[in-house]
Amino acid sequence: MYLLIDRDTRAVKVHSRPDGGRYETVQTLPFGKEVALPEPVGIALDTEPLKNWVR
């Protein structure tokens, strides 16, 4: 799993299910949404506080 927090676009991208040199699944959600991180992490990430780190 690869997690990208992009302050410029105010979005979180979760790349999962790696296959060779690429990820099969990419989920993009805006700051403020809860992001479900797949196994092996298996937690939900609250992105609401990230709004405080952008202008």
Side-chain angles (χ1 to χ4, degrees), residues 16-49:
S16 60
R17 298 183 54 212
D19 183 23
R22 66 180 204 90
Y23 291 94
E24 291 185 0
T25 304
V26 179
Q27 180 183 21
T28 304
L29 294 166
F31 288 0
K33 298 285 185 174
E34 185 174 87
V35 177
L37 301 178
E39 295 298 332
V41 178
I43 63 169
L45 177 65
D46 178 14
T47 65
E48 185 68 31

